[in-house]
Amino acid sequence: MTDRFIPYGRHQIDDDDVAAVVEALRSDWLTTGPAVEGFEGAFATYVGAQHAVAVANGTAALHLCMLAAGIGPGDEVIVPALTFAASANCVRYVGATVVFADVRDDTLTVDAVQVAALISPRTKAILAVDYAGLPADLDDLRMLCDRHGLLLVEDACHAPGAEYRGRKVGSIADLSTFSFHPVKHVTTAEGGMVTTNDPALASRVRTLRNHGITTDYRQREVAGTWEYDMVALGYNYRLSDIQCALGLSQLAKAPEWLERRRALAARYTRELAALPVRLPCVPDDRTHAWHLYAVRVRARDVAGARRTLYRQLRAAGIGVNVHYRPVYLHSYYRDLGYEPGLCPVSEAAYAGLLSLPMSQGLSEEDVGRVIEQISKACVGSG
Ligand SMILES: Cc1ncc(COP(=O)(O)O)c(C=O)c1O
C-alpha cells in the first residue's frame, strides 16, 4: 500500500463552516447581504485596518488597487520578480508598465535598495509582496514612497496575521490585498479582500467592485429607490454572501490555525537544520505567517539537485512545489521584451526553491514523514 499523498497546501472545512454556508443558502441574501459586511468587519479587525472591502479573488483585489490608485498608461509600478504572476499582471490590466525589482537573498522579499534605484518620474507605486508570509521591508519602502510621492501597495495574499515591527500586515501599506483561495490561510473557495486606512481609497474600491455604481442593491432597497449612478467604469468583482459566510466561519479559527502553522514551521526549522538546504530566514522585527515553507537546495548543480529532490519527494507522496519562476521569465513577459538576467538573485533563488507541505491540517505524523523523506533524499544525493 502506498502512503497518503500530502499536498503542499490544503483547505480545512469543519462542520461549523458547512453549517454557516447552509444558513447563508437559506437566507434572503445569496450575494451582497449581511454576511459580506460581517466578513469585512471581522477581517478589518483581524488585520487592524480601518476598512476592508471583500472582492471576487486576490487578483481582483490587486486590479482594484491599481484602478483606485488611478494608475494607467504611461505609469510605472515597481514589483518584485519573485512572486505569483498576478502581482505584476494587475499593472498590465490598467495599461501601465511593470518594473521588476530583485529580491533580497536572505528574506526573498523585495530589495529596497534595488527599488530606490528603479524609481523614475513615471513611477506611481511600489507593490511589495510578503513572500511566503514574511512581511517585506515595509518601513524602508514607506520612506521611499514618502520621499517620491508614491503609493505603497502590499500584496499580502501570503501573510494574513503576520506582523511587522508590532503592526499587523493589512494596516501598514496604503492598500493591502489578500486571497482566500483554498491553499491560503482561510478560504472562501475563491475570494479576496482589500484593506486600507484611507476612507477615500476604500470608497473607490467599493464602487469599482460593483460596476462603478455608488450604491448596491441592498442599500437601494433600504432607501426605497431604484435610482443609481455609475460614476466610473467598474467591474463585477463582488464576493457572494454564501462565500462571506464561509469566510466569517473560517476567520474565527485563523489565530489558532496560524499558531499551528508556526509550530509546524518551527519543527521543520529544528529538524531540517543539518541538511544541505537553506531554511527560511525570519528577521527579529517581524513575524511570519507561513503560507509557504520554502527551502533552497544547496548544491553545485542547484537546478539539477532541486529537480531530483522534487521527483524523489513526489514519488514518495510528498506534494512539494516551486514558488516561483521569476515573473518576467514567463512567455507573456518575455514577449514584452524582458530578458533573463534582469533579477539575478530571484533567478538564483528560483533554481533551488522547493516549498514543503504547509497547512494547519497537517498532522505531526505527516510532517514527520516529510522530514524523513527529505532527509533520506538528501543523504542519497550526498
Ligand atoms: C502573491 C499572490 N498574489 C496574488 C494572488 C492571487 O490570488 P487569487 O488566486 O485569489 O486571485 C496569489 C494567489 O495565489 C498570490 O500567491
Side-chain angles (χ1 to χ4, degrees), residues 155-332:
D155 181 341
C157 287
H158 294 183
E163 286 184 17
Y164 175 82
R165 299 186 175 167
R167 287 166 290 155
K168 283 273 191 77
V169 156
S171 69
I172 303 169
D174 295 303
L175 289 157
S176 305
T177 65
F178 296 88
S179 163
F180 308 122
H181 180 276
V183 294
K184 301 297 196 303
H185 293 71
V186 296
T187 190
T188 58
E190 297 285 355
M193 194 74 81
V194 177
T195 64
T196 179
N197 291 331
D198 181 330
L201 284 174
S203 166
R204 281 214 285 280
V205 171
R206 206 172 282 286
T207 301
L208 288 165
R209 80 159 170 198
N210 186 34
H211 307 282
I213 295 171
T214 51
T215 53
D216 65 40
Y217 176 75
R218 191 157 155 256
Q219 288 165 331
R220 290 194 293 279
E221 286 291 295
V222 171
T225 180
W226 71 86
E227 283 188 298
Y228 60 79
D229 192 25
M230 191 195 109
V231 296
L233 186 62
Y235 295 80
N236 178 355
Y237 277 167
R238 296 185 303 254
L239 192 61
S240 72
D241 247 42
I242 302 167
Q243 289 168 293
C244 287
L246 176 58
L248 252 175
S249 172
Q250 291 258 303
L251 192 62
K253 297 173 275 194
E256 176 198 325
W257 285 352
L258 183 56
E259 282 317 304
R260 179 73 190 140
R261 283 174 183 266
R262 286 181 171 151
L264 295 175
R267 181 165 175 208
Y268 276 143
T269 299
R270 248 185 351 261
E271 298 189 26
L272 298 175
L275 298 185
V277 292
R278 195 166 158 189
L279 303 180
C281 126
V282 188
D284 290 342
D285 61 355
R286 63 202 82 177
T287 62
H288 205 303
W290 300 113
H291 163 54
L292 304 172
Y293 190 97
V295 302
R296 278 180 275 176
V297 172
R298 285 189 219 262
R300 204 165 302 136
D301 171 18
V302 172
R306 193 265 305 272
R307 186 170 298 283
T308 305
L309 192 56
Y310 175 90
R311 286 187 180 146
Q312 286 179 354
L313 289 169
R314 283 269 166 166
I318 311 296
V320 284
N321 216 323
V322 174
H323 301 92
Y324 295 96
R325 179 182 184 187
V327 177
Y328 62 82
L329 293 181
H330 287 287
S331 301
Y332 168 78

